[in-house]
Amino acid sequence: MLAPLAGVSDRIMRQLCIEQGAQLTFTEMVSAKGLSYGNERTEDLLEMAPNEDIVGVQIFGHEPEVMAGQAARLCETVGEKLAVIDINMGCPVRKLVTKGDGSALMKSPELAERIVSAVVAASSVPVTVKFRRGYEIDNETAPEFARRMEQAGACAVTVHGRYAAQMYHGQADWGVIERVVRSVSIPVVGNGDVVSGASALAMMEQTGCEAVLVARAARGNPWVFAEIRAALEGRPAPEEPTPLQRVEMARRHAHLLYEWEPRALVRMRKQGSWYCKGLDGASAARGMLNACKTIEEYDRAFDRLEQHLKGC
């Protein structure tokens, strides 16, 4: 599954990942408070990809009534394509945590339970919860937290193998995923350092989790889902994309963004850098891409990179 990634997992990113084999994709995380205010930018996050038959929506907030009300609204507005509502209790970003959202809820398990109970009662689709190993380093609370979420009505949980205080540094501990699997009777999704078919298979075999959530490894690399699908289905890994294929996918990504919403083209600066990572001439390419403002400028940048790769 493609994880909800702020500023990344828009409808174009999801479209490309689905093409490569992602079985479920999540929108960027959505503010329940923003939805309650009718914020247009928040509403835009819910726009579906053309090949998206089902979608997961992750919401964040800390007020049970607001969360429940917007969950009910999501069930109505997204309709039959809404597969699951996930509650974010794992994001460690400061601007969320200081408001009591995201991983801050791991420090308030009673409030977290009330939120889950309220959302479950208001929703017509399954409700899941995503959280981390714990909030503070060396204070692992995930197994007990998972039990509380199950008791509150969550039908599955996703566990990221880092503490919130680690942010995205260090190595994810998959052992905590296994400990959560042993602690609850609902399905557990593993998250953290899944970067290939081999690592996805290893996580599932080592922890007993029933699915994997791919986050940063999908940036500039939608092919990771084809590799994971092949590994989980026991098929040979597909050939890695060539440098020229990576540039061509980046170009297509840019054009799809522009056709969808010209203002979204600015996202191609970071997306393009991810596609170019590790390529010969990547540093110069990043410099060109960061200066692009129009689709024509992006095309010229990709043309120059292709010419460089061909040795012209």
Short mmCIF file of all heavy atoms in Angstrom, two decimals, residues 148-197:
data_model
loop_
_atom_site.label_atom_id
_atom_site.label_comp_id
_atom_site.label_asym_id
_atom_site.label_seq_id
_atom_site.Cartn_x
_atom_site.Cartn_y
_atom_site.Cartn_z
N ARG A 148 -5.43 -1.07 23.10
CA ARG A 148 -6.45 -0.04 23.36
C ARG A 148 -7.20 0.32 22.08
O ARG A 148 -8.42 0.51 22.11
CB ARG A 148 -5.78 1.21 23.95
CG ARG A 148 -5.38 1.11 25.40
CD ARG A 148 -4.66 2.38 25.83
NE ARG A 148 -4.39 2.46 27.25
CZ ARG A 148 -5.17 3.05 28.15
NH1 ARG A 148 -6.30 3.61 27.78
NH2 ARG A 148 -4.84 3.09 29.42
N MET A 149 -6.48 0.44 20.97
CA MET A 149 -7.13 0.79 19.72
C MET A 149 -8.09 -0.32 19.28
O MET A 149 -9.18 -0.06 18.76
CB MET A 149 -6.09 1.05 18.62
CG MET A 149 -5.13 2.21 18.92
SD MET A 149 -5.96 3.80 19.26
CE MET A 149 -5.92 3.83 21.08
N GLU A 150 -7.69 -1.57 19.49
CA GLU A 150 -8.57 -2.70 19.16
C GLU A 150 -9.82 -2.66 20.03
O GLU A 150 -10.95 -2.84 19.52
CB GLU A 150 -7.82 -4.01 19.36
CG GLU A 150 -8.67 -5.24 19.04
CD GLU A 150 -7.92 -6.54 19.25
OE1 GLU A 150 -6.95 -6.57 20.05
OE2 GLU A 150 -8.31 -7.54 18.61
N GLN A 151 -9.66 -2.41 21.30
CA GLN A 151 -10.81 -2.34 22.21
C GLN A 151 -11.75 -1.20 21.85
O GLN A 151 -12.97 -1.29 22.04
CB GLN A 151 -10.32 -2.18 23.66
CG GLN A 151 -9.60 -3.40 24.19
CD GLN A 151 -8.88 -3.14 25.51
OE1 GLN A 151 -8.99 -2.05 26.09
NE2 GLN A 151 -8.14 -4.12 25.99
N ALA A 152 -11.18 -0.12 21.29
CA ALA A 152 -11.99 1.03 20.90
C ALA A 152 -12.73 0.81 19.59
O ALA A 152 -13.59 1.62 19.23
CB ALA A 152 -11.10 2.27 20.80
N GLY A 153 -12.39 -0.27 18.87
CA GLY A 153 -13.14 -0.60 17.66
C GLY A 153 -12.35 -0.57 16.37
O GLY A 153 -12.92 -0.82 15.29
N ALA A 154 -11.05 -0.28 16.42
CA ALA A 154 -10.25 -0.28 15.20
C ALA A 154 -10.23 -1.68 14.60
O ALA A 154 -10.10 -2.68 15.33
CB ALA A 154 -8.83 0.19 15.49
N CYS A 155 -10.34 -1.76 13.29
CA CYS A 155 -10.36 -3.08 12.65
C CYS A 155 -8.97 -3.53 12.20
O CYS A 155 -8.77 -4.67 11.81
CB CYS A 155 -11.31 -3.09 11.46
SG CYS A 155 -10.71 -2.12 10.07
N ALA A 156 -7.99 -2.62 12.25
CA ALA A 156 -6.59 -2.94 11.95
C ALA A 156 -5.74 -1.79 12.45
O ALA A 156 -6.23 -0.68 12.67
CB ALA A 156 -6.40 -3.14 10.45
N VAL A 157 -4.45 -2.06 12.62
CA VAL A 157 -3.51 -1.01 13.02
C VAL A 157 -2.28 -1.08 12.13
O VAL A 157 -1.91 -2.16 11.65
CB VAL A 157 -3.10 -1.12 14.51
CG1 VAL A 157 -4.28 -0.86 15.42
CG2 VAL A 157 -2.46 -2.48 14.80
N THR A 158 -1.66 0.08 11.93
CA THR A 158 -0.39 0.15 11.22
C THR A 158 0.67 0.63 12.19
O THR A 158 0.47 1.62 12.90
CB THR A 158 -0.47 1.13 10.03
OG1 THR A 158 -1.43 0.64 9.09
CG2 THR A 158 0.88 1.25 9.34
N VAL A 159 1.79 -0.08 12.24
CA VAL A 159 2.86 0.25 13.19
C VAL A 159 4.12 0.64 12.42
O VAL A 159 4.62 -0.13 11.59
CB VAL A 159 3.19 -0.95 14.11
CG1 VAL A 159 4.22 -0.54 15.16
CG2 VAL A 159 1.92 -1.47 14.77
N HIS A 160 4.61 1.83 12.72
CA HIS A 160 5.89 2.29 12.19
C HIS A 160 6.96 1.98 13.24
O HIS A 160 6.78 2.33 14.41
CB HIS A 160 5.85 3.79 11.90
CG HIS A 160 7.10 4.34 11.31
ND1 HIS A 160 7.18 4.73 9.99
CD2 HIS A 160 8.33 4.54 11.83
CE1 HIS A 160 8.42 5.17 9.75
NE2 HIS A 160 9.13 5.06 10.86
N GLY A 161 8.05 1.35 12.81
CA GLY A 161 9.03 0.85 13.76
C GLY A 161 10.00 1.85 14.34
O GLY A 161 11.07 1.45 14.81
N ARG A 162 9.68 3.14 14.32
CA ARG A 162 10.52 4.15 14.96
C ARG A 162 9.71 4.87 16.04
O ARG A 162 8.48 4.95 15.95
CB ARG A 162 11.02 5.19 13.95
CG ARG A 162 12.04 4.68 12.94
CD ARG A 162 12.45 5.80 11.98
NE ARG A 162 13.48 5.37 11.03
CZ ARG A 162 13.23 4.75 9.88
NH1 ARG A 162 11.98 4.49 9.53
NH2 ARG A 162 14.22 4.40 9.08
N TYR A 163 10.43 5.41 17.02
CA TYR A 163 9.79 6.28 18.00
C TYR A 163 9.50 7.63 17.34
O TYR A 163 10.21 8.04 16.42
CB TYR A 163 10.70 6.50 19.20
CG TYR A 163 10.98 5.25 20.01
CD1 TYR A 163 12.22 4.61 19.92
CD2 TYR A 163 10.04 4.72 20.87
CE1 TYR A 163 12.49 3.47 20.66
CE2 TYR A 163 10.30 3.58 21.62
CZ TYR A 163 11.53 2.95 21.51
OH TYR A 163 11.79 1.82 22.24
N ALA A 164 8.50 8.31 17.83
CA ALA A 164 8.20 9.64 17.29
C ALA A 164 9.39 10.57 17.43
O ALA A 164 9.69 11.37 16.53
CB ALA A 164 6.97 10.23 17.99
N ALA A 165 10.10 10.46 18.56
CA ALA A 165 11.25 11.34 18.79
C ALA A 165 12.38 11.10 17.80
O ALA A 165 13.26 11.95 17.63
CB ALA A 165 11.75 11.16 20.22
N GLN A 166 12.38 9.94 17.14
CA GLN A 166 13.41 9.65 16.14
C GLN A 166 13.12 10.35 14.81
O GLN A 166 13.99 10.39 13.95
CB GLN A 166 13.48 8.14 15.86
CG GLN A 166 14.15 7.31 16.90
CD GLN A 166 14.17 5.85 16.50
OE1 GLN A 166 13.26 5.09 16.83
NE2 GLN A 166 15.18 5.46 15.74
N MET A 167 11.89 10.82 14.65
CA MET A 167 11.46 11.34 13.35
C MET A 167 11.66 10.23 12.32
O MET A 167 11.06 9.17 12.44
CB MET A 167 12.21 12.62 12.99
CG MET A 167 11.99 13.76 13.97
SD MET A 167 10.32 14.40 13.96
CE MET A 167 10.31 15.32 12.40
N TYR A 168 12.53 10.47 11.32
CA TYR A 168 12.78 9.46 10.29
C TYR A 168 14.24 9.01 10.30
O TYR A 168 14.74 8.47 9.32
CB TYR A 168 12.39 10.02 8.91
CG TYR A 168 10.94 10.42 8.87
CD1 TYR A 168 10.56 11.75 9.03
CD2 TYR A 168 9.94 9.46 8.73
CE1 TYR A 168 9.22 12.11 9.02
CE2 TYR A 168 8.60 9.81 8.74
CZ TYR A 168 8.26 11.14 8.88
OH TYR A 168 6.93 11.50 8.89
N HIS A 169 14.91 9.22 11.43
CA HIS A 169 16.31 8.87 11.55
C HIS A 169 16.47 7.46 12.12
O HIS A 169 15.57 6.92 12.77
CB HIS A 169 17.04 9.87 12.46
CG HIS A 169 16.91 11.30 12.00
ND1 HIS A 169 17.41 11.73 10.80
CD2 HIS A 169 16.32 12.38 12.58
CE1 HIS A 169 17.15 13.02 10.65
NE2 HIS A 169 16.49 13.44 11.72
N GLY A 170 17.63 6.88 11.87
CA GLY A 170 17.91 5.57 12.41
C GLY A 170 17.14 4.48 11.67
O GLY A 170 16.41 4.74 10.72
N GLN A 171 17.32 3.28 12.12
CA GLN A 171 16.69 2.12 11.48
C GLN A 171 15.38 1.77 12.18
O GLN A 171 15.28 1.83 13.40
CB GLN A 171 17.64 0.92 11.53
CG GLN A 171 17.14 -0.29 10.76
CD GLN A 171 18.19 -1.40 10.72
OE1 GLN A 171 19.27 -1.28 11.27
NE2 GLN A 171 17.86 -2.50 10.05
N ALA A 172 14.37 1.42 11.39
CA ALA A 172 13.09 1.00 11.96
C ALA A 172 13.26 -0.37 12.63
O ALA A 172 13.93 -1.26 12.09
CB ALA A 172 12.02 0.92 10.87
N ASP A 173 12.68 -0.53 13.78
CA ASP A 173 12.73 -1.79 14.51
C ASP A 173 11.50 -2.62 14.14
O ASP A 173 10.38 -2.28 14.51
CB ASP A 173 12.75 -1.52 16.02
CG ASP A 173 12.92 -2.79 16.83
OD1 ASP A 173 12.06 -3.68 16.74
OD2 ASP A 173 13.92 -2.90 17.56
N TRP A 174 11.72 -3.68 13.40
CA TRP A 174 10.59 -4.52 12.99
C TRP A 174 10.12 -5.42 14.14
O TRP A 174 9.02 -5.96 14.08
CB TRP A 174 10.99 -5.38 11.79
CG TRP A 174 11.19 -4.59 10.53
CD1 TRP A 174 10.99 -3.25 10.34
CD2 TRP A 174 11.64 -5.09 9.27
NE1 TRP A 174 11.28 -2.88 9.06
CE2 TRP A 174 11.69 -4.00 8.37
CE3 TRP A 174 12.02 -6.35 8.81
CZ2 TRP A 174 12.10 -4.14 7.04
CZ3 TRP A 174 12.42 -6.50 7.49
CH2 TRP A 174 12.46 -5.40 6.62
N GLY A 175 10.95 -5.57 15.17
CA GLY A 175 10.55 -6.41 16.29
C GLY A 175 9.28 -5.91 16.95
O GLY A 175 8.45 -6.70 17.42
N VAL A 176 9.09 -4.58 16.99
CA VAL A 176 7.89 -4.04 17.62
C VAL A 176 6.65 -4.42 16.82
O VAL A 176 5.57 -4.60 17.38
CB VAL A 176 7.99 -2.51 17.80
CG1 VAL A 176 7.98 -1.78 16.46
CG2 VAL A 176 6.84 -2.00 18.66
N ILE A 177 6.80 -4.54 15.51
CA ILE A 177 5.65 -4.95 14.69
C ILE A 177 5.24 -6.36 15.07
O ILE A 177 4.05 -6.66 15.25
CB ILE A 177 6.00 -4.86 13.19
CG1 ILE A 177 6.38 -3.42 12.82
CG2 ILE A 177 4.83 -5.34 12.33
CD1 ILE A 177 6.94 -3.28 11.41
N GLU A 178 6.22 -7.24 15.25
CA GLU A 178 5.93 -8.61 15.68
C GLU A 178 5.26 -8.62 17.05
O GLU A 178 4.31 -9.38 17.30
CB GLU A 178 7.21 -9.43 15.70
CG GLU A 178 6.99 -10.88 16.13
CD GLU A 178 8.29 -11.65 16.24
OE1 GLU A 178 9.37 -11.03 16.15
OE2 GLU A 178 8.22 -12.89 16.45
N ARG A 179 5.74 -7.77 17.95
CA ARG A 179 5.16 -7.73 19.30
C ARG A 179 3.72 -7.24 19.26
O ARG A 179 2.87 -7.70 20.04
CB ARG A 179 6.03 -6.86 20.22
CG ARG A 179 7.38 -7.49 20.53
CD ARG A 179 8.16 -6.72 21.57
NE ARG A 179 8.77 -5.52 21.06
CZ ARG A 179 9.94 -5.48 20.42
NH1 ARG A 179 10.60 -6.59 20.16
NH2 ARG A 179 10.47 -4.32 20.02
N VAL A 180 3.42 -6.32 18.37
CA VAL A 180 2.03 -5.85 18.22
C VAL A 180 1.18 -6.97 17.62
O VAL A 180 0.04 -7.19 18.06
CB VAL A 180 1.98 -4.58 17.36
CG1 VAL A 180 0.53 -4.24 17.00
CG2 VAL A 180 2.62 -3.41 18.08
N VAL A 181 1.72 -7.69 16.64
CA VAL A 181 0.98 -8.81 16.05
C VAL A 181 0.56 -9.80 17.13
O VAL A 181 -0.57 -10.31 17.13
CB VAL A 181 1.84 -9.51 14.96
CG1 VAL A 181 1.21 -10.84 14.56
CG2 VAL A 181 2.01 -8.61 13.75
N ARG A 182 1.47 -10.07 18.08
CA ARG A 182 1.16 -11.03 19.16
C ARG A 182 0.20 -10.45 20.19
O ARG A 182 -0.39 -11.19 20.97
CB ARG A 182 2.46 -11.46 19.86
CG ARG A 182 3.42 -12.24 18.97
CD ARG A 182 4.41 -13.04 19.82
NE ARG A 182 5.11 -12.18 20.78
CZ ARG A 182 6.31 -11.65 20.59
NH1 ARG A 182 6.96 -11.89 19.46
NH2 ARG A 182 6.88 -10.89 21.52
N SER A 183 0.04 -9.13 20.19
CA SER A 183 -0.75 -8.47 21.24
C SER A 183 -2.22 -8.28 20.86
O SER A 183 -3.04 -8.02 21.75
CB SER A 183 -0.15 -7.09 21.56
OG SER A 183 1.18 -7.22 22.04
N VAL A 184 -2.54 -8.35 19.58
CA VAL A 184 -3.92 -8.08 19.14
C VAL A 184 -4.42 -9.20 18.23
O VAL A 184 -3.63 -10.00 17.72
CB VAL A 184 -4.00 -6.73 18.39
CG1 VAL A 184 -3.65 -5.57 19.31
CG2 VAL A 184 -3.11 -6.73 17.15
N SER A 185 -5.72 -9.22 18.04
CA SER A 185 -6.32 -10.23 17.15
C SER A 185 -6.71 -9.63 15.81
O SER A 185 -7.15 -10.36 14.92
CB SER A 185 -7.55 -10.84 17.83
OG SER A 185 -8.51 -9.83 18.12
N ILE A 186 -6.58 -8.31 15.64
CA ILE A 186 -6.90 -7.66 14.37
C ILE A 186 -5.65 -7.63 13.48
O ILE A 186 -4.54 -7.79 13.97
CB ILE A 186 -7.41 -6.22 14.61
CG1 ILE A 186 -6.40 -5.41 15.44
CG2 ILE A 186 -8.78 -6.25 15.28
CD1 ILE A 186 -6.82 -3.96 15.68
N PRO A 187 -5.82 -7.43 12.17
CA PRO A 187 -4.66 -7.38 11.28
C PRO A 187 -3.72 -6.24 11.62
O PRO A 187 -4.15 -5.17 12.06
CB PRO A 187 -5.29 -7.18 9.89
CG PRO A 187 -6.68 -7.70 10.02
CD PRO A 187 -7.10 -7.37 11.43
N VAL A 188 -2.44 -6.46 11.38
CA VAL A 188 -1.40 -5.46 11.61
C VAL A 188 -0.68 -5.20 10.30
O VAL A 188 -0.30 -6.13 9.59
CB VAL A 188 -0.40 -5.93 12.68
CG1 VAL A 188 0.74 -4.91 12.85
CG2 VAL A 188 -1.10 -6.16 14.02
N VAL A 189 -0.50 -3.92 10.00
CA VAL A 189 0.24 -3.50 8.81
C VAL A 189 1.61 -3.00 9.26
O VAL A 189 1.70 -2.23 10.22
CB VAL A 189 -0.51 -2.37 8.06
CG1 VAL A 189 0.29 -1.93 6.83
CG2 VAL A 189 -1.91 -2.84 7.66
N GLY A 190 2.65 -3.44 8.57
CA GLY A 190 4.00 -3.02 8.92
C GLY A 190 4.45 -1.83 8.10
O GLY A 190 4.11 -1.70 6.93
N ASN A 191 5.22 -0.95 8.73
CA ASN A 191 5.69 0.27 8.08
C ASN A 191 7.07 0.63 8.62
O ASN A 191 7.32 0.53 9.82
CB ASN A 191 4.69 1.41 8.34
CG ASN A 191 5.11 2.73 7.74
OD1 ASN A 191 4.98 3.76 8.38
ND2 ASN A 191 5.60 2.75 6.52
N GLY A 192 7.95 1.04 7.71
CA GLY A 192 9.28 1.46 8.12
C GLY A 192 10.38 0.68 7.43
O GLY A 192 10.52 -0.53 7.64
N ASP A 193 11.11 1.34 6.53
CA ASP A 193 12.25 0.76 5.83
C ASP A 193 11.87 -0.36 4.87
O ASP A 193 12.68 -1.26 4.60
CB ASP A 193 13.31 0.25 6.82
CG ASP A 193 13.94 1.38 7.62
OD1 ASP A 193 13.74 2.55 7.25
OD2 ASP A 193 14.65 1.09 8.61
N VAL A 194 10.66 -0.32 4.33
CA VAL A 194 10.31 -1.21 3.22
C VAL A 194 10.68 -0.48 1.95
O VAL A 194 10.05 0.51 1.58
CB VAL A 194 8.81 -1.57 3.22
CG1 VAL A 194 8.47 -2.40 1.98
CG2 VAL A 194 8.45 -2.34 4.48
N VAL A 195 11.74 -0.95 1.30
CA VAL A 195 12.29 -0.24 0.15
C VAL A 195 12.39 -1.10 -1.11
O VAL A 195 12.83 -0.62 -2.15
CB VAL A 195 13.69 0.32 0.49
CG1 VAL A 195 13.62 1.30 1.64
CG2 VAL A 195 14.66 -0.82 0.82
N SER A 196 11.98 -2.36 -1.01
CA SER A 196 12.15 -3.28 -2.13
C SER A 196 11.25 -4.49 -1.93
O SER A 196 10.63 -4.66 -0.88
CB SER A 196 13.61 -3.75 -2.20
OG SER A 196 13.93 -4.48 -1.02
N GLY A 197 11.21 -5.33 -2.94
CA GLY A 197 10.47 -6.57 -2.81
C GLY A 197 11.04 -7.45 -1.73
O GLY A 197 10.31 -8.05 -0.92
#
